[in-house]
Amino acid sequence: GESVGLHLPTLSVQEGDNSIINCAYSNSASDYFIWYKQESGKGPQFIIDIRSNMDKRQGQRVTVLLNKTVKHLSLQIAATQPGDSAVYFCAENPRTGTASKLTFGTGTRLQVTL
Amino acid sequence: NAGVTQTPKFRVLKTGQSMTLLCAQDMNHEYMYWYRQDPGMGLRLIHYSVGEGTTAKGEVPDGYNVSRLKKQNFLLGLESAAPSQTSVYFCASSYSGYEQYFGPGTRLTVT
């Protein structure tokens, strides 16, 4: 079936560097994508989202890029800080049925080294 | 404004026992969801609700039941717990059905 996946399970980045977390999706009908951050022992926390009619969206220190041609999503974190260490999930809304449901990837662990 | 809260935070059950997990949200959201999260896997949708009095099956509904008698509450029930239901359970709510806000989770162990 359709699924959302990630290229790298673990990403190690030095403090102050930029981080890029990638995500591949397979459902070309998806119209909405979202990134979550999950710290150990906590629930997922919203970071940023993007609709399919956009290819870039910026937040505070974060940017999401959407390439519909190759069905690829990325999250860029500028000037990575120790507090950014967490598991990051991408998710898509496949627009099946009348209610919006999200399909989640398995996650990428970001480790920030000092 | 507490957001999404879950009760209890931890629970240990014996095989065959039953229990109910409570999710409450104070954001007046229409949509509510129950997920389970297992090691190495993403969040999987168990059941969801698009409004008070409605429920629907998600990706992994077997062994679970839900009820949404009040808009702010979404209950997840396990009638006869099995070790395969050992997991971390997350509740989420959404205003539009897109951006979802998650609770802190319930860690359930079934022995």
Side-chain angles (χ1 to χ4, degrees):
Chain A
E2 308 270 49
S3 64
V4 174
L6 296 171
H7 295 310
L8 298 173
T10 303
L11 177 65
S12 186
V13 175
Q14 211 159 22
E15 181 182 5
D17 287 350
N18 297 335
S19 302
I20 300 176
I21 302 172
N22 296 304
C23 178
Y25 66 94
S26 57
N27 190 336
S28 57
S30 293
D31 68 342
Y32 174 81
F33 304 87
I34 189 168
W35 281 98
Y36 283 95
K37 171 187 180 182
Q38 186 175 25
E39 296 175 280
S40 181
K42 296 184 179 180
Q45 178 185 2
F46 169 82
I47 302 174
I48 192 167
D49 58 1
I50 188 169
R51 292 190 180 271
S52 59
N53 60 353
M54 303 172 67
D55 53 19
K56 181 179 180 179
R57 191 167 187 216
Q58 289 184 294
Q60 189 175 13
R61 278 202 310 119
V62 295
T63 301
V64 56
L65 298 177
L66 175 62
N67 186 329
K68 294 181 288 293
T69 302
V70 295
K71 288 184 273 187
H72 184 266
L73 190 69
S74 69
L75 176 70
Q76 299 180 359
I77 304 174
T80 310
Q81 303 169 359
D84 294 327
S85 293
V87 176
Y88 290 81
F89 294 93
C90 66
E92 62 178 322
N93 173 26
R95 295 194 72 189
T96 54
T98 57
S100 287
K101 294 181 287 183
L102 295 176
T103 300
F104 286 82
T106 54
T108 292
R109 182 174 301 280
L110 177 64
Q111 295 177 334
V112 181
T113 58
L114 302 178
Chain B
N1 190 332
V4 179
T5 59
Q6 293 182 233
T7 311
K9 288 185 170 53
F10 302 93
R11 186 73 186 267
V12 178
L13 286 180
K14 293 185 178 179
T15 298
Q17 288 184 320
S18 63
M19 77 163 295
T20 300
L21 281 66
L22 171 64
C23 176
Q25 53 95 2
D26 60 2
M27 296 175 282
N28 202 34
H29 286 170
E30 291 291 340
Y31 297 82
M32 294 188 75
Y33 307 83
W34 274 108
Y35 294 89
R36 60 177 289 172
Q37 184 176 40
D38 301 296
M41 303 184 73
L43 292 156
R44 293 185 292 168
L45 182 64
I46 304 172
H47 286 281
Y48 64 100
S49 168
V50 301
E52 182 179 317
T54 74
T55 63
K57 294 181 180 179
E59 180 187 353
V60 289
D62 293 342
Y64 305 95
N65 56 76
V66 288
S67 64
R68 183 112 182 257
L69 299 180
K70 293 183 179 181
K71 186 177 183 179
Q72 63 267 34
N73 296 335
F74 196 28
L75 278 64
L76 177 71
L78 285 73
E79 292 183 346
S80 180
S84 61
Q85 293 178 305
T86 293
S87 188
V88 181
Y89 292 86
F90 288 101
C91 175
S93 72
S94 175
Y95 172 74
S96 62
Y98 285 93
E99 182 180 334
Q100 295 181 17
Y101 294 88
F102 284 81
T106 294
R107 185 173 295 275
L108 175 66
T109 301
V110 183
T111 62

